[in-house]
Every structure is written in C-alpha cells, then in structure tokens.
Amino acid sequence: MVFIKATFASVFVSLLACATAVEVPNTDYDVIVVGGGPAGLSALSGVSRVRRTALLIDSEEYRNAPTREMHDVIGNDGTPPAAFRTLAREQISKYPTAEFTNETVESIVPFTQGDFSAFTVTDSKGKSYTARKIVLGTGVRDVLPPTPGLQEGWGKGIFWCPWCDGYEHRDQPFGMIGDITDMLGNVLETHTLYTDIIAFVNGSQTADGEARATAKVADWKEQLAAWNTTIDNRTITSIERLEDGGKDREEDGDEQFDKFRLHFTTGEPVERNALIVNFPTVQTSSLPAKMHLDMVGDKINVTSAMRTSQSGVFAIGDANSDGSTNVPHAMFTGKKAAVYVHVEMSREESKSKISKRTGLSHRELEKEAMRAIGDNLDKEWKRAQE
Ligand SMILES: *[C@@H]1O[C@H](CO)[C@@H](O)[C@H](O)[C@H]1NC(C)=O
Ligand SMILES: *[C@@H]1O[C@H](CO)[C@@H](O)[C@H](O)[C@H]1NC(C)=O
Ligand SMILES: *[C@@H]1O[C@H](CO)[C@@H](O)[C@H](O)[C@H]1NC(C)=O
Ligand SMILES: *[C@@H]1O[C@H](CO)[C@@H](O)[C@H](O)[C@H]1NC(C)=O
Ligand SMILES: *[C@@H]1O[C@H](CO)[C@@H](O)[C@H](O)[C@H]1NC(C)=O
C-alpha cells in the first residue's frame, strides 16, 4: 500500500502544484489609462517609470481646452493647455512601455482569467484591448445654459475658477452670474482681486432665494455690501463680447482686457470686463455609469488611494469625488493612482511567484502531495479492497 500511495502521490504532484498556483492575468497591457488630460498623463508617467506596460486612450476632449492658458501650475504659469499636454506626451514617449492612442472608449468590461482583476476595453471603432488595471481620468463637463455669448466667452474672460483666471483681470469691473446663494462664496474668493463687483442673480432674488442664502450665512447681505457688491436680479438674455483679452493684453505683462455687455429682458445693458459663473458639472464619459461605479453626487466615489467601488479600477482628476477640480489636483491624483496601481500588481505578482513553489524540490512536493491526499487515499484504498 505504501508503494501505491507513493505512486499515486507522484501522479498528483504536478496537479497539486498546478491547483495551488496563483495566476496573474495575461493581458495586452498592465494598465489602460482613459483620458489624456493632466490626470491621465500623470498616471501614465508614473506607471511608465516603473516599466509597467500601459496604453493611454485619449478622446482629445479636454475641459480646459477653451482657456487661453493655465495658471497656478508651478513651472507652467501661463502655458496654453495644448502646449502642456504636447510636452508631457513627448517626455513620456521616451519610456518604451508607454503607448498612446486617440479614441473614445465605449466600454470597459471585467473578465476572469487567472486570480485577479482583468478588463476588456473597447473603443468606439470596435477595437479591443485587455489590461489588468484601469485608471479613469475621464473628467467632467461644464453644463452651461444656452444664453447666447456664454459658450463663446467660456474660458476667455468668463470663468468658474478664480485661481485659474482671476488675476489677469484684477481690479477690472467684475461680474458674478449664478444663484443668489452662491454669491457670498464667490465674493469671499475674489474680493482680493476686485473692488467693483455686481452679482447677476438672474431672477433668483425671490423670498425663497433670500431665505436659502440666509440659511447658509445669516448676514450674507451685509457681507456682500461690505465688499461693494450690488445685486442685479434681472433675467439675462445674452452676453455680447466687446473686447477680446486674447488680443487686447499687455505687451509684456499679464493683464487681459476682455469686455462683455450683458443684456436683460428689461432695462439698460451692463458692461463688465470679467465674469465668474456658477454652473453644474457632469461626468464627460458615460463609462462610470455603464460600469455601475459608486458615485457621490455626480463624482466617482474614490478612497484616498483613488480606488473606485470596482476592484482594479481607479479614478483620478476632476471625475473623482475628492472635492477638487484643477490641474495640480489632477496631476497629484494621477501620480497617486500610479503608485497604488503598481504596488497592487506587484503584490499579485509576488503572490503568484511564491505560489508556484519553484523553490521546492520534486521530493518535497511529493511529500506535500502525500500529506494532502493521504487520508482520502486511505479511504479509497479500503473501498477498492471491499
Ligand atoms: C493624438 O492626440 C494628440 C493630442 O491632441 C495629438 O497631439 C496627436 O498628434 C494625436 N495623435 C495622432 C496619431 O493622431
Ligand atoms: C437665467 O434664467 C432664465 C430663466 O430662468 C434661464 O432660462 C437662463 O438659462 C438663465 N441664464 C443664466 C445665464 O443662468
Ligand atoms: C463700487 O461699485 C460701484 C458699482 O458697481 C462702482 O461704480 C464703484 O466704482 C465701486 N467702487 C470701487 C472702489 O471700486
Ligand atoms: C427677482 O426676479 C424674480 C424673477 O423675475 C422675481 O420673482 C423677484 O420678485 C425679483 N426680486 C426682486 C427683489 O425684485
Ligand atoms: C463612498 O465610499 C466609501 C467607502 O470607500 C463609503 O464609506 C461611502 O459611503 C461612499 N459614499 C457614497 C455616497 O456612496
């Protein structure tokens, strides 16, 4: 019986080694990054520098495309967004494991192969790629009302981010467009830049609107008045551009002289050189919804490691829920995701490597097989003899 048991064990040696081995999925790429803005490019850079094979798929739609230049991005103050992205692509291209393609991703579907996450990514032309990890840097889109002139002025004198665009219009006549409840917040972010401020609340100064503003901050009206902010409640019909700060700007300085004329359903128009607006954003891509990712409002819910609710999927930049939308945040979150993605894959690879027990001799494996199947075999042997 000992002889038969030993033979049986040796037959099972390879099966046992096989059964306990943990397999890393065999995919086209380690990582696919969706979105080629500052977030996606940072993620690609991070994974490329540790020689992870990665494909960046870029739809070439960028939230900051309309803006003349970026600001508050140290080392790149005043760089046009397209120039910034081009330089980033050039620099990342030197890493042999980094690849780029320009397409829109239509679907990302998890599949099981091996013991860890893996995904099939399909673009709008029907081309598919597989990857072990996904990084979504798919961004948000600003939802602007159809007011004539608004879209045209967007990013060029009409903006939502005072840090990005405010300083170039400092000390110029300034306007704020939005709900009455947002106006104190705007003023507290901009009163160091402007002294002549009009709040265009577009009909929201109703009893209910005022009550909502008071519920937020009791003395909002006094605070607005203290910063020389007047309220204009008329309904805005159009925004006419009178001057273009892209052309009309200081020779060697950084002031831009845009000028807009706001028209209303009643009364005289009003001129302002710059306008801050408060409008909502939505996800640019339908992927988060298609993938049923857990959302916080309209943002992809992420942990501090940029992990989404789907294992193996990370979300970075404006699209995620960590409460910030700007270029430095995009770069920071892209870099952070790159580190977590890399280490997560390394852990999987480590698990796989030790599970293969390459260090064990045949004799040791055989012993282990004997131990594992010994009891069952005894039963089988007895049954066979009955
Ligand atoms: C892909 O898009 C980038 C950014 O718009 C552009 O610079 C690059 O030339 C495009 N590549 C191809 C192959 O079209
Ligand atoms: C102003 O209010 C009108 C009427 O409610 C609305 O249709 C329009 O989109 C608003 N315009 C802006 C710029 O918010
Ligand atoms: C205060 O606002 C009014 C009305 O917009 C403007 O005429 C005036 O110049 C502003 N004062 C300062 C000091 O900017
Ligand atoms: C502001 O405009 C709205 C909509 O036209 C109107 O109902 C409201 O009475 C106005 N508020 C004031 C203080 O005039
Ligand atoms: C977001 O995810 C965290 C876990 O990471 C969870 O505790 C939280 O409830 C989620 N938020 C929402 C709004 O789903």
Side-chain angles (χ1 to χ4, degrees):
M1 180 184 147
V2 170
F3 168 74
I4 291 170
K5 204 168 159 183
T7 311
F8 210 159
S10 75
V11 166
F12 274 87
V13 161
S14 53
L15 285 177
L16 180 76
C18 210
T20 58
V22 175
E23 293 297 335
V24 168
N26 180 21
T27 52
D28 300 334
Y29 297 95
D30 290 330
V31 189
I32 285 179
V33 180
V34 186
L41 288 165
S42 296
L44 182 66
S45 169
V47 296
S48 301
R49 283 195 54 80
V50 286
R51 296 210 286 205
R52 289 292 179 186
T53 58
L55 174 67
L56 182 133
I57 309 182
D58 186 4
S59 69
E60 294 181 88
E61 295 164 65
Y62 313 105
R63 186 185 185 195
N64 68 357
T67 200
R68 292 177 184 130
E69 53 211 34
M70 307 189 308
H71 291 285
D72 205 10
V73 182
I74 56 167
N76 280 282
D77 196 22
T79 305
F84 178 77
R85 289 189 302 267
T86 301
L87 183 59
R89 277 173 172 256
E90 272 169 30
Q91 291 178 343
I92 297 168
S93 294
K94 82 170 186 193
Y95 300 104
T97 55
E99 289 180 33
F100 296 86
T101 185
N102 293 340
E103 258 307 325
T104 302
V105 172
E106 281 298 315
S107 70
I108 300 178
V109 179
F111 68 92
T112 310
Q113 187 229 59
D115 297 271
F116 305 106
S117 66
F119 303 88
T120 302
V121 176
T122 306
D123 71 22
S124 60
K125 297 232 171 79
K127 190 158 183 195
S128 287
Y129 312 87
T130 57
R132 291 167 58 192
K133 305 291 167 194
I134 301 294
V135 180
L136 296 176
T138 41
V140 296
R141 189 162 51 75
D142 297 280
V143 184
L144 307 182
T147 309
L150 184 56
Q151 184 70 57
E152 295 85 338
W154 187 238
K156 301 175 177 69
I158 305 178
F159 53 84
W160 65 270
C161 165
W163 283 270
C164 314
D165 301 286
Y167 185 79
E168 283 60 45
H169 298 88
R170 61 192 175 279
D171 299 322
Q172 299 173 8
F174 184 60
M176 313 184 294
I177 298 177
D179 189 79
I180 195 157
T181 56
D182 292 325
M183 292 305 157
L184 180 60
N186 288 335
V187 166
L188 295 182
E189 287 185 356
T190 57
H191 77 86
T192 48
L193 296 168
Y194 314 105
T195 55
D196 172 359
I197 309 174
I198 302 177
F200 299 101
V201 299
N202 196 38
S204 66
Q205 192 181 18
T206 56
D208 173 61
E210 295 219 355
R212 283 183 292 117
T214 303
K216 239 170 143 179
V217 179
D219 58 359
W220 64 277
K221 244 183 197 171
E222 289 81 353
Q223 291 196 52
L224 287 190
W227 298 114
N228 195 34
T229 303
T230 51
I231 298 175
D232 190 328
N233 182 44
R234 290 177 293 165
T235 303
I236 302 162
T237 52
S238 67
I239 302 172
E240 177 190 0
R241 182 184 283 283
L242 302 179
E243 283 168 26
D244 182 355
K247 296 177 199 127
D248 192 356
R249 55 196 297 171
E250 281 186 323
E251 276 286 301
D252 51 357
D254 49 18
E255 270 190 283
Q256 297 176 12
F257 299 98
D258 292 284
K259 193 185 266 187
F260 302 95
R261 184 180 284 148
L262 285 85
H263 297 272
F264 307 91
T265 47
T266 57
E268 290 300 304
V270 177
E271 289 177 8
R272 296 280 98 182
N273 289 72
L275 292 160
I276 195 166
V277 299
N278 304 91
F279 297 124
T281 60
V282 292
Q283 292 286 317
T284 305
S285 170
S286 57
L287 290 170
K290 283 180 188 163
M291 296 166 80
H292 306 292
L293 299 182
D294 181 31
M295 308 296 282
V296 182
D298 196 57
K299 298 300 191 80
I300 304 169
N301 193 7
V302 291
T303 66
S304 63
M306 307 300 140
R307 292 179 206 282
T308 69
S309 54
Q310 163 88 57
S311 168
V313 179
F314 296 70
I316 58 176
D318 288 10
N320 82 13
S321 64
D322 66 357
S324 186
T325 62
N326 54 62
V327 172
H329 163 264
M331 289 158 65
F332 162 71
T333 55
K335 163 67 188 161
K336 204 166 179 189
V339 172
Y340 281 95
V341 160
H342 172 58
V343 172
E344 186 169 301
M345 286 188 290
S346 293
R347 288 215 180 97
E348 293 171 3
E349 286 147 10
S350 235
K351 217 167 167 183
S352 169
K353 206 167 174 71
I354 61 169
S355 79
K356 291 196 171 117
R357 298 156 193 265
T358 44
L360 294 185
S361 66
H362 182 80
R363 171 123 193 83
E364 283 167 321
L365 269 177
E366 204 169 78
K367 262 175 147 174
E368 194 146 326
M370 294 274 275
R371 256 199 314 278
I373 64 175
D375 287 352
N376 287 338
L377 192 68
D378 275 344
K379 278 185 217 137
E380 289 305 315
W381 175 251
K382 278 179 188 142
R383 199 174 301 150
Q385 288 184 320
E386 274 165 9

